């Protein structure tokens, strides 16, 4: 994954300012912050509230509503694994077990020490080639244990 | 002229290596001193053949697939640029039975053209719908949509013309057109394919809506799980703007219409139209009570037409060919064509656009070729996570709005997911509740609390505790959720649950296993 900028209030302010006048600016701002820093820092939420002239509680309410806006910095690669029905029919739960048993990677357990995080998602629109995943944004279809092992090795190789 | 080789850039095709294949083909061509242009297209939707490489020949488009990197050398040796024989050769793509048996109105161009070339779009019949709308004027355009019988393809099946007429009649200083591209239903991918493979069609459909209701601004809300669709669609908007399809004067007319793409943030409920509007306004995606209808008071309190991707994308054909021609397809009150999406444990999964009227069996057996595992098909879920599971005995149910409702199911967005005989339907029912609990917006108690309670109750049934009592409890709970939920997330979660209970009751009576109380 591309190296991300460490959180920086000045940078965050600039990101927010470039979007603040758009109608309904909160989601575009939060996506830009996520893109810039990889997570939504508490300080950024306060800055956004100020810029949009809403209360901090309201801004926090928006951030916490959406699964995408993670609040803690993560380090490393993200495997978004689909666990919805079409992928269930093609054995995605077996892959979840394999990730845990073989690689010690539980889904949605944000472990900062690992170079790879596994995140549950529901449908990637690649259901005709289930099981499906996105690895750092790149789509993977017909996922199987072998491909999982290669992804983990790849992530660990890049991390070290 | 250089030879053109078409390689899909659709994200499903990418997921099985299309980028690599495009790169290897281009390298091979160079090393052989051949003048070859690689054109990236959308997908034809025959996903078991991806990456499906096509060549233009005097006899038509010839196909090769699924192509692996290793095939590149032998393809050139076999003279594939002239349609030569090869173990991966498929012959004329249009003659592939899976495609030939379809009725592609919406997906006519997808996979054929360069999605970002407006010239290509025009050459293949694009922009004729909006030109017709500009000729007809707003009122006649809305009448045409009304007469076509088009119903919303996002799930609820509401007549599109009525919605447009309401918004057109509402007086306001501003109006909006919003496209629902949240496509959250599992087993569906038609919206994504279209945004990646033929984005100008959707832009054209939205522009027609703008012109006919008097809106000058439109938004499209694309889910964040679709980064490629978002990127392609955003570029298509820019190109449409610089070519004068969007902007101050739509195709030189007196109508202004512009578009902006917005990204969702991983919340299934934001596919519900009022939640989507809240989200576009920058708030939590909590469902609004209706009335007021969005057509009267929608985005920023202004009259708003909100439709699904496929709904807008059906409109250009209707304007180009006429409402009557469209309404000749289909059955009863389900008129026109429906792009079905076949997925799950099936041999030939893909995009199947047909006139309404085909049965589930025709799709899963006739097109799908049975389960990919080679085992018997046991259950088929139609209509996404809120849709019913059908057993073998009901596979002859026709896939139209009324027949689905009569069978206690729904068509939804046209997703069809196949399961073989290893599926445990009690667990599928429990998943329906878990999904509802996870994605509930939290506004009403039956949905927020009921879904968690439902998942626990099925856990007890699986564990063999007080089975009869708990099944009764489950049915009561479903009734409360059906009657007492503000929107269809809470209101329809009982569909998959009850269909599992009604058609697969044996799975709720199996000897208890140990892995239970999750
Ligand atoms: C929980 C829930 C999720 C929905 N998700 C979607 C979706 O992802 N895409 C969509 O077009 N409609 C979705 N809908 C339906 C919309 O509320 C609405 O009916 C639709 O956008 C109207 O457009 P149409 O008439 O063109 O179908 C959803 C509804 C509910 C209750
Ligand atoms: S049914 Fe569920 S998702 Fe729908 S409004 Fe109520 S709590 Fe929200
Ligand atoms: S259900 Fe997994 S990609 Fe659609």
């Amino acid at each position: 994954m591309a190296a991300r900028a460490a959180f920086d209030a000045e940078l965050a302010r600039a990101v927010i300012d470039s979007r603040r006048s758009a109608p309904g600016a909160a989601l575009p701002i939060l996506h830009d912050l996520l893109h810039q820093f990889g997570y939504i820092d508490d300080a950024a939420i306060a800055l956004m509230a100020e810029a949009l002239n809403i209360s901090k509680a309201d801004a926090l309410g928006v951030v916490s509503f959406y699964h995408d806006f993670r609040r803690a910095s993560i380090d490393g690669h993200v495997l978004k694994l689909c666990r919805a029905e079409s992928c269930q029919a093609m054995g995605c739960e077996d892959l979840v077990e394999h990730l845990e048993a073989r690689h010690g990677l539980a889904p949605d357990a944000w472990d900062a020490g690992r170079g790879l995080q596994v995140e549950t998602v529901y449908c990637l629109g690649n259901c005709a080639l289930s099981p499906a995943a996105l690895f750092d944004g790149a789509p993977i279809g017909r996922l199987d244990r072998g491909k999982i092992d290669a992804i983990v090795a790849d992530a660990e190789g890049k991390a070290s | 002229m250089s030879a053109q080789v078409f390689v899909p850039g659709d994200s499903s095709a990418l997921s099985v290596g299309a980028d690599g294949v495009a790169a290897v083909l281009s390298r091979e061509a160079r090393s052989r001193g051949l003048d070859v242009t690689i054109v990236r297209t959308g997908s034809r939707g025959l996903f078991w053949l991806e990456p499906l490489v096509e060549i233009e020949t005097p006899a038509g488009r010839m196909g090769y697939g699924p192509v692996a990197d290793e095939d590149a050398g032998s393809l050139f040796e076999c003279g594939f640029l002239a349609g030569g024989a090869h173990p991966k050769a498929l012959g004329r793509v249009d003659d592939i039975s899976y495609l030939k048996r379809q009725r592609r109105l919406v997906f006519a161009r997808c996979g054929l053209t360069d999605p970002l070339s407006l010239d290509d779009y025009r050459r293949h019949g694009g922009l004729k719908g909006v030109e017709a709308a500009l000729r007809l004027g707003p009122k006649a355009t809305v009448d045409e949509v009304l007469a076509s019988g088009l119903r919303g393809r996002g799930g609820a099946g509401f007549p599109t013309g009525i919605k447009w007429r309401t918004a057109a009649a509402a007086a306001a200083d501003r109006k909006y057109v919003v496209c629902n591209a949240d496509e959250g239903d599992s087993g569906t991918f038609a919206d994504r394919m279209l945004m990646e493979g033929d984005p100008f069609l959707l832009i054209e459909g939205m522009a027609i809506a703008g012109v006919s209701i008097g809106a000058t601004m439109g938004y499209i809300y694309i889910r964040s799980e679709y980064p490629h669709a978002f990127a392609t669609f955003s570029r298509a908007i820019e190109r449409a703007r610089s070519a004068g399809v969007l902007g101050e004067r739509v195709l030189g007319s007196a109508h202004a219409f512009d578009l902006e793409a917005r990204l969702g943030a991983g919340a299934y409920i934001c596919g519900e139209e009022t939640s989507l509007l809240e989200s576009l306004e920058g708030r939590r995606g909590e469902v609004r009570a209706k009335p007021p209808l969005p057509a009267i008071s929608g985005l920023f309190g202004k009259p708003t037409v909100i439709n699904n991707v496929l709904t807008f994308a059906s409109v250009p054909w209707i304007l180009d060919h006429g409402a009557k021609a469209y309404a000749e397809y289909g059955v009863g009150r389900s008129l026109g064509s429906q792009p079905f999406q076949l997925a799950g444990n099936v041999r030939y999964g893909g995009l199947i656009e047909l006139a309404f009227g085909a049965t589930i069996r025709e799709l899963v057996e006739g097109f799908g070729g049975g389960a990919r595992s080679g085992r018997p098909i046991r259950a088929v879920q139609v209509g996404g996570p809120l849709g019913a599971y059908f057993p073998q005995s009901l596979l002859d149910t026709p896939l139209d709005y009324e027949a689905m409702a009569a069978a206690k199911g729904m068509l939804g967005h046209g997703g069809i997911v196949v399961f073989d005989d290893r599926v445990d339907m009690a667990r599928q029912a429990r998943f329906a509740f878990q999904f509802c609990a996870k994605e509930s917006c939290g506004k009403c108690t039956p949905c927020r609390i009921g879904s968690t309670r439902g998942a626990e109750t099925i856990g007890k049934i699986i564990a063999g505790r007080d089975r009869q009592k708990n099944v009764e409890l489950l049915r009561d709970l479903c009734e409360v959720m059906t009657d007492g939920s503000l929107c269809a997330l809470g209101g329809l979660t009982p569909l998959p649950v009850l269909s599992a209970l009604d058609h697969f009751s044996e799975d709720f009576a199996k000897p208890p296993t140990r892995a239970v109380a999750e």
Side-chain angles (χ1 to χ4, degrees), chain A residues 2-5 15 29-40:
Chain A
R4 276 177 159 149
V15 166
I29 287 176
L30 290 168
H31 272 298
D32 284 356
L33 289 168
L34 190 66
H35 184 74
Q36 188 68 245
F37 303 112
Y39 75 108
I40 308 296

Side-chain angles (χ1 to χ4, degrees), chain B residues 203-221:
Chain B
I203 291 175
E204 183 178 352
M206 291 184 73
I208 294 171
V211 166
S212 53
I213 68 155
T216 51
M217 184 65 198
Y219 289 94
I220 175 166
Y221 186 93

Side-chain angles (χ1 to χ4, degrees), chain A residues 5-16 33 36-37 39 41 43-44 47:
Chain A
F7 184 75
D8 164 348
E10 275 319 299
L11 190 53
R13 211 171 262 129
V15 166
I16 293 167
L33 289 168
Q36 188 68 245
F37 303 112
Y39 75 108
D41 195 275
L47 290 172

Side-chain angles (χ1 to χ4, degrees), chain B residues 9 115-116 194-199 227-237:
Chain B
L116 289 171
L194 203 79
M195 289 187 278
E196 293 177 352
D198 198 11
H228 291 80
F230 183 79
T232 305
F233 203 82
S234 301
R235 289 174 64 196
I237 290 175

Side-chain angles (χ1 to χ4, degrees), chain B residues 424-440:
Chain B
D424 180 332
M425 293 305 298
R427 279 163 208 274
Q428 294 307 122
R430 180 169 62 179
F431 175 75
F433 277 129
Q434 287 167 334
F435 182 74
C436 178
K438 206 160 171 176
E439 300 297 329
S440 167

